Amino acid sequence: MSAASQAVTSPWRGLSPTVWILVVARAVNRIGAFTLPFLGVVLTVEFGASLRQTGLILAVFGAATIPSRLLGGQLADRFGRRWTIVIGLTGCAVAQLWIVVSLTLWFAVLATVLLGLAFEIYEPPSQAMIADVTQPADRPAAYGVYSAALAAAGVLAGLLAAALTHWNLRYLFAADALTCLACAILVALALPTDERSKRSKEPTLSNSAWRDRRLLLLLGSGTVFATIYMQIIIGLPLTLLEQGLPKAGTGFVLALSAVTLILAQRFLRVKRLDDFRSIAVGYVLLAAGLVACALAHSLTGYLVAAILWSLGDLFLLTRYLTQASGLAPDESRGRYLAIFGLSWGIATTIAPLTVTQLLETAGPTGLWLTSAAVALVLAILQPWVRRRVDPDRRNDDRRIATDG
């Protein structure tokens, strides 16, 4: 094997089998997990909700994910990662099927709340288990292959979503329920029992993570990023709908986004940058993609925007997880990642309101330009964040950059 090919393939070699099982399981789940971008469309088209009602319902869904994430972290640290993942996925499947069979808007709202309460349970144990079985220097690669697998499955998911939207949008939720159950079965049968479930279940100080100012700063920064990310997920299909573009276009755009992430992760030498430089570059690329969204008036324009924002995601997603997991003591990793993961619950609560409000008042151009401006501010603030967080793995990042 040549030196060049080793540079491309070596970051993912030597990872624990546990990482690969989690990767496969989450990829199976991801194939059907294209419901969230279409949830707002289902509420408006299938159940007759107004744009404002849709924003409020999606905000309630986002609020419900906050206790879901905290519950996942508590269960993961006290009773084990594997069964916490199974419980979360099974709950998601039940809620998705409830949406499928709902006949009225209020039944769909109740199902949406249940989905929010189960939606984030499996994330803290999955992320914590990856950190459990990898060394700090290997975590960017481990989280990277995790993200790449989700992106690869996202290609199929986008095409599946584009196909199913020609028949009935509820079929998306049925497909997601089936993949949730398949993922839960795979985890239960293939994933080894983690060491956490074999240890004493004496509770540790559950509030110690809340006193870590570095974690809280990451939570704040990550919340702003997650809000921008969720505005893309929620705002894209509503923007296409408002501009009279086909509903299936969302699936194609998100599929191209996934392809971009896969190819870029394999060929770009992102590990040469430390966490904070990587995040700053990511925000600049994300802002460029959002500006492209503001200028787009055709499906081709949104496809170009997807390439740009996906390159930004490559520099952002894994680095935030690496920082949060690096701050956590071993016995509290699930809770640290759960607290950091609250950024997504908060964002899922805020984004529906900001998206619908900006679409009503400023239109698609105002929505995407505002988001781009916020992304640029975050890029500029990264040196300030570095001085206050300064995670322990900075020396590892420097060594990786030197060796790379």
Side-chain angles (χ1 to χ4, degrees):
M1 182 181 292
S2 67
S5 61
Q6 282 182 343
V8 171
T9 60
S10 60
W12 294 350
R13 298 180 66 181
L15 294 178
S16 166
T18 297
V19 173
W20 291 107
I21 293 171
L22 284 170
V23 164
V24 172
R26 288 291 282 117
V28 170
N29 177 234
R30 177 64 164 153
I31 290 174
F34 252 54
T35 55
L36 186 57
F38 291 92
L39 183 54
V41 179
V42 168
L43 292 170
T44 55
V45 174
E46 299 286 331
F47 295 102
S50 67
L51 189 61
R52 181 161 296 185
Q53 286 176 323
T54 297
L56 290 174
I57 294 168
L58 293 178
V60 171
F61 165 82
T65 66
I66 294 175
S68 170
R69 173 80 67 157
L70 291 174
L71 178 61
Q74 290 285 341
L75 293 176
D77 281 344
R78 295 194 179 190
F79 304 112
R81 322 295 199 204
R82 182 176 64 169
W83 291 111
T84 303
I85 296 171
V86 172
I87 290 170
L89 291 170
T90 303
C92 285
V94 171
Q96 301 271 21
L97 291 175
W98 189 350
I99 292 175
V100 172
V101 301
S102 293
L103 299 178
T104 66
L105 176 61
W106 287 110
F107 269 85
V109 170
L110 292 175
T112 300
V113 173
L114 176 61
L115 179 61
L117 291 172
F119 197 75
E120 298 285 355
I121 289 177
Y122 61 78
E123 283 293 355
S126 298
Q127 295 166 359
M129 184 171 276
I130 289 175
D132 290 343
V133 299
T134 55
Q135 296 298 318
D138 295 327
R139 284 173 192 160
Y143 287 125
V145 71
Y146 190 72
S147 298
L150 296 184
V155 177
L156 295 178
L159 298 176
L160 177 63
L164 291 178
T165 49
H166 288 297
W167 286 283
N168 190 314
L169 290 173
R170 298 196 199 194
Y171 291 164
L172 292 172
F173 292 86
D176 195 10
L178 292 176
T179 55
C180 280
L181 291 174
C183 182
I185 292 171
L186 178 60
V187 168
L189 296 179
L191 203 63
T193 302
D194 54 282
E195 292 299 319
R196 172 69 52 197
S197 63
K198 298 176 182 179
R199 298 175 188 170
S200 169
K201 297 174 184 176
E202 290 290 329
T204 57
L205 289 176
S206 60
N207 64 343
S208 59
W210 290 105
R211 295 197 296 265
D212 192 329
R213 294 182 180 180
R214 299 170 302 166
L215 177 62
L216 297 182
L217 180 58
L218 281 181
L219 172 60
S221 176
T223 297
V224 181
F225 162 66
T227 301
I228 297 174
Y229 191 95
M230 292 307 302
Q231 285 185 159
I232 294 174
I233 297 297
I234 296 171
L236 179 63
L238 293 175
T239 298
L240 295 183
L241 189 65
E242 184 167 314
Q243 292 187 343
L245 296 173
K247 293 181 292 183
T250 300
F252 291 121
V253 171
L254 296 179
L256 177 63
S257 174
V259 170
T260 302
L261 186 60
I262 296 165
L263 295 178
Q265 184 147 224
R266 183 169 177 79
F267 293 110
L268 290 183
R269 300 293 296 276
V270 179
K271 289 179 68 175
R272 286 184 176 274
L273 301 175
D274 68 16
D275 287 342
F276 297 96
R277 289 192 181 93
S278 177
I279 289 173
V281 171
Y283 278 128
V284 171
L285 290 169
L286 177 59
L290 293 169
V291 171
C293 270
L295 300 176
H297 296 285
S298 66
L299 187 58
T300 301
Y302 288 105
L303 292 172
V304 173
I307 293 173
L308 291 172
W309 85 55
S310 300
L311 290 174
D313 289 345
L314 172 66
F315 287 87
L316 289 163
L317 290 172
T318 61
R319 297 304 180 129
Y320 268 123
L321 282 173
T322 300
Q323 287 185 9
S325 63
L327 294 177
D330 291 345
E331 68 276 5
S332 301
R333 187 167 286 131
R335 272 164 285 191
Y336 263 69
L337 289 169
I339 290 173
F340 173 73
L342 291 179
S343 57
W344 292 97
I346 297 170
T348 309
T349 305
I350 297 172
L353 302 178
T354 57
V355 165
T356 53
Q357 191 67 27
L358 285 170
L359 283 177
E360 284 187 339
T361 59
T365 301
L367 167 64
W368 302 120
L369 288 180
T370 300
S371 302
V374 174
L376 286 177
V377 170
L378 286 170
I380 294 169
L381 286 176
Q382 285 311 301
W384 178 85
V385 176
R386 177 200 291 274
R387 289 194 297 270
R388 283 154 180 80
V389 175
D390 191 24
D392 294 337
R393 67 179 310 278
R394 177 186 289 185
N395 291 333
D396 295 324
D397 288 335
R398 289 173 175 167
R399 179 180 57 78
I400 292 171
T402 301
D403 293 344

mmCIF file with all atom_site columns, all heavy atoms in Angstrom, residues 58-69:
data_model
loop_
_atom_site.group_PDB
_atom_site.id
_atom_site.type_symbol
_atom_site.label_atom_id
_atom_site.label_alt_id
_atom_site.label_comp_id
_atom_site.label_asym_id
_atom_site.label_entity_id
_atom_site.label_seq_id
_atom_site.pdbx_PDB_ins_code
_atom_site.Cartn_x
_atom_site.Cartn_y
_atom_site.Cartn_z
_atom_site.occupancy
_atom_site.B_iso_or_equiv
_atom_site.pdbx_formal_charge
_atom_site.auth_seq_id
_atom_site.auth_comp_id
_atom_site.auth_asym_id
_atom_site.auth_atom_id
_atom_site.pdbx_PDB_model_num
ATOM 1  N N   . LEU A 1 58 ? -43.649 21.696 16.620 1.00 0.00 ? 58 LEU A N   1
ATOM 2  C CA  . LEU A 1 58 ? -42.251 21.268 16.512 1.00 0.00 ? 58 LEU A CA  1
ATOM 3  C C   . LEU A 1 58 ? -41.421 21.789 17.673 1.00 0.00 ? 58 LEU A C   1
ATOM 4  O O   . LEU A 1 58 ? -40.464 21.128 18.109 1.00 0.00 ? 58 LEU A O   1
ATOM 5  C CB  . LEU A 1 58 ? -41.667 21.738 15.181 1.00 0.00 ? 58 LEU A CB  1
ATOM 6  C CG  . LEU A 1 58 ? -42.245 21.083 13.920 1.00 0.00 ? 58 LEU A CG  1
ATOM 7  C CD1 . LEU A 1 58 ? -41.609 21.663 12.677 1.00 0.00 ? 58 LEU A CD1 1
ATOM 8  C CD2 . LEU A 1 58 ? -42.078 19.571 13.949 1.00 0.00 ? 58 LEU A CD2 1
ATOM 9  N N   . ALA A 1 59 ? -41.783 22.969 18.195 1.00 0.00 ? 59 ALA A N   1
ATOM 10 C CA  . ALA A 1 59 ? -41.080 23.481 19.369 1.00 0.00 ? 59 ALA A CA  1
ATOM 11 C C   . ALA A 1 59 ? -41.356 22.605 20.590 1.00 0.00 ? 59 ALA A C   1
ATOM 12 O O   . ALA A 1 59 ? -40.448 22.345 21.401 1.00 0.00 ? 59 ALA A O   1
ATOM 13 C CB  . ALA A 1 59 ? -41.516 24.917 19.653 1.00 0.00 ? 59 ALA A CB  1
ATOM 14 N N   . VAL A 1 60 ? -42.593 22.133 20.738 1.00 0.00 ? 60 VAL A N   1
ATOM 15 C CA  . VAL A 1 60 ? -42.922 21.215 21.833 1.00 0.00 ? 60 VAL A CA  1
ATOM 16 C C   . VAL A 1 60 ? -42.138 19.918 21.684 1.00 0.00 ? 60 VAL A C   1
ATOM 17 O O   . VAL A 1 60 ? -41.624 19.357 22.666 1.00 0.00 ? 60 VAL A O   1
ATOM 18 C CB  . VAL A 1 60 ? -44.443 20.944 21.871 1.00 0.00 ? 60 VAL A CB  1
ATOM 19 C CG1 . VAL A 1 60 ? -44.766 19.833 22.860 1.00 0.00 ? 60 VAL A CG1 1
ATOM 20 C CG2 . VAL A 1 60 ? -45.197 22.212 22.251 1.00 0.00 ? 60 VAL A CG2 1
ATOM 21 N N   . PHE A 1 61 ? -42.036 19.428 20.458 1.00 0.00 ? 61 PHE A N   1
ATOM 22 C CA  . PHE A 1 61 ? -41.214 18.238 20.196 1.00 0.00 ? 61 PHE A CA  1
ATOM 23 C C   . PHE A 1 61 ? -39.777 18.479 20.659 1.00 0.00 ? 61 PHE A C   1
ATOM 24 O O   . PHE A 1 61 ? -39.176 17.643 21.344 1.00 0.00 ? 61 PHE A O   1
ATOM 25 C CB  . PHE A 1 61 ? -41.234 17.909 18.709 1.00 0.00 ? 61 PHE A CB  1
ATOM 26 C CG  . PHE A 1 61 ? -40.166 16.937 18.281 1.00 0.00 ? 61 PHE A CG  1
ATOM 27 C CD1 . PHE A 1 61 ? -40.346 15.580 18.446 1.00 0.00 ? 61 PHE A CD1 1
ATOM 28 C CD2 . PHE A 1 61 ? -38.978 17.383 17.720 1.00 0.00 ? 61 PHE A CD2 1
ATOM 29 C CE1 . PHE A 1 61 ? -39.351 14.676 18.064 1.00 0.00 ? 61 PHE A CE1 1
ATOM 30 C CE2 . PHE A 1 61 ? -37.987 16.505 17.341 1.00 0.00 ? 61 PHE A CE2 1
ATOM 31 C CZ  . PHE A 1 61 ? -38.183 15.141 17.511 1.00 0.00 ? 61 PHE A CZ  1
ATOM 32 N N   . GLY A 1 62 ? -39.214 19.621 20.304 1.00 0.00 ? 62 GLY A N   1
ATOM 33 C CA  . GLY A 1 62 ? -37.845 19.917 20.703 1.00 0.00 ? 62 GLY A CA  1
ATOM 34 C C   . GLY A 1 62 ? -37.694 19.996 22.206 1.00 0.00 ? 62 GLY A C   1
ATOM 35 O O   . GLY A 1 62 ? -36.710 19.493 22.774 1.00 0.00 ? 62 GLY A O   1
ATOM 36 N N   . ALA A 1 63 ? -38.667 20.609 22.887 1.00 0.00 ? 63 ALA A N   1
ATOM 37 C CA  . ALA A 1 63 ? -38.606 20.694 24.346 1.00 0.00 ? 63 ALA A CA  1
ATOM 38 C C   . ALA A 1 63 ? -38.650 19.308 24.975 1.00 0.00 ? 63 ALA A C   1
ATOM 39 O O   . ALA A 1 63 ? -37.987 19.048 25.987 1.00 0.00 ? 63 ALA A O   1
ATOM 40 C CB  . ALA A 1 63 ? -39.756 21.554 24.865 1.00 0.00 ? 63 ALA A CB  1
ATOM 41 N N   . ALA A 1 64 ? -39.410 18.403 24.372 1.00 0.00 ? 64 ALA A N   1
ATOM 42 C CA  . ALA A 1 64 ? -39.512 17.044 24.912 1.00 0.00 ? 64 ALA A CA  1
ATOM 43 C C   . ALA A 1 64 ? -38.205 16.281 24.775 1.00 0.00 ? 64 ALA A C   1
ATOM 44 O O   . ALA A 1 64 ? -37.939 15.345 25.553 1.00 0.00 ? 64 ALA A O   1
ATOM 45 C CB  . ALA A 1 64 ? -40.640 16.285 24.215 1.00 0.00 ? 64 ALA A CB  1
ATOM 46 N N   . THR A 1 65 ? -37.353 16.651 23.815 1.00 0.00 ? 65 THR A N   1
ATOM 47 C CA  . THR A 1 65 ? -36.079 15.943 23.655 1.00 0.00 ? 65 THR A CA  1
ATOM 48 C C   . THR A 1 65 ? -35.081 16.283 24.759 1.00 0.00 ? 65 THR A C   1
ATOM 49 O O   . THR A 1 65 ? -34.107 15.560 24.951 1.00 0.00 ? 65 THR A O   1
ATOM 50 C CB  . THR A 1 65 ? -35.427 16.262 22.295 1.00 0.00 ? 65 THR A CB  1
ATOM 51 O OG1 . THR A 1 65 ? -35.056 17.646 22.246 1.00 0.00 ? 65 THR A OG1 1
ATOM 52 C CG2 . THR A 1 65 ? -36.368 15.939 21.144 1.00 0.00 ? 65 THR A CG2 1
ATOM 53 N N   . ILE A 1 66 ? -35.310 17.377 25.494 1.00 0.00 ? 66 ILE A N   1
ATOM 54 C CA  . ILE A 1 66 ? -34.362 17.777 26.539 1.00 0.00 ? 66 ILE A CA  1
ATOM 55 C C   . ILE A 1 66 ? -34.362 16.775 27.695 1.00 0.00 ? 66 ILE A C   1
ATOM 56 O O   . ILE A 1 66 ? -33.305 16.237 28.047 1.00 0.00 ? 66 ILE A O   1
ATOM 57 C CB  . ILE A 1 66 ? -34.665 19.205 27.020 1.00 0.00 ? 66 ILE A CB  1
ATOM 58 C CG1 . ILE A 1 66 ? -34.402 20.192 25.871 1.00 0.00 ? 66 ILE A CG1 1
ATOM 59 C CG2 . ILE A 1 66 ? -33.805 19.560 28.231 1.00 0.00 ? 66 ILE A CG2 1
ATOM 60 C CD1 . ILE A 1 66 ? -34.783 21.620 26.184 1.00 0.00 ? 66 ILE A CD1 1
ATOM 61 N N   . PRO A 1 67 ? -35.516 16.462 28.320 1.00 0.00 ? 67 PRO A N   1
ATOM 62 C CA  . PRO A 1 67 ? -35.489 15.406 29.339 1.00 0.00 ? 67 PRO A CA  1
ATOM 63 C C   . PRO A 1 67 ? -35.121 14.046 28.762 1.00 0.00 ? 67 PRO A C   1
ATOM 64 O O   . PRO A 1 67 ? -34.547 13.202 29.459 1.00 0.00 ? 67 PRO A O   1
ATOM 65 C CB  . PRO A 1 67 ? -36.915 15.401 29.908 1.00 0.00 ? 67 PRO A CB  1
ATOM 66 C CG  . PRO A 1 67 ? -37.758 16.068 28.876 1.00 0.00 ? 67 PRO A CG  1
ATOM 67 C CD  . PRO A 1 67 ? -36.864 17.072 28.220 1.00 0.00 ? 67 PRO A CD  1
ATOM 68 N N   . SER A 1 68 ? -35.408 13.833 27.479 1.00 0.00 ? 68 SER A N   1
ATOM 69 C CA  . SER A 1 68 ? -35.035 12.574 26.832 1.00 0.00 ? 68 SER A CA  1
ATOM 70 C C   . SER A 1 68 ? -33.521 12.386 26.855 1.00 0.00 ? 68 SER A C   1
ATOM 71 O O   . SER A 1 68 ? -33.002 11.320 27.198 1.00 0.00 ? 68 SER A O   1
ATOM 72 C CB  . SER A 1 68 ? -35.552 12.577 25.392 1.00 0.00 ? 68 SER A CB  1
ATOM 73 O OG  . SER A 1 68 ? -35.039 11.501 24.658 1.00 0.00 ? 68 SER A OG  1
ATOM 74 N N   . ARG A 1 69 ? -32.789 13.433 26.496 1.00 0.00 ? 69 ARG A N   1
ATOM 75 C CA  . ARG A 1 69 ? -31.325 13.357 26.478 1.00 0.00 ? 69 ARG A CA  1
ATOM 76 C C   . ARG A 1 69 ? -30.768 13.153 27.888 1.00 0.00 ? 69 ARG A C   1
ATOM 77 O O   . ARG A 1 69 ? -29.870 12.337 28.095 1.00 0.00 ? 69 ARG A O   1
ATOM 78 C CB  . ARG A 1 69 ? -30.784 14.650 25.868 1.00 0.00 ? 69 ARG A CB  1
ATOM 79 C CG  . ARG A 1 69 ? -29.286 14.818 25.911 1.00 0.00 ? 69 ARG A CG  1
ATOM 80 C CD  . ARG A 1 69 ? -28.573 14.067 24.827 1.00 0.00 ? 69 ARG A CD  1
ATOM 81 N NE  . ARG A 1 69 ? -28.840 14.560 23.503 1.00 0.00 ? 69 ARG A NE  1
ATOM 82 C CZ  . ARG A 1 69 ? -28.020 14.371 22.459 1.00 0.00 ? 69 ARG A CZ  1
ATOM 83 N NH1 . ARG A 1 69 ? -26.882 13.715 22.619 1.00 0.00 ? 69 ARG A NH1 1
ATOM 84 N NH2 . ARG A 1 69 ? -28.340 14.795 21.259 1.00 0.00 ? 69 ARG A NH2 1
#
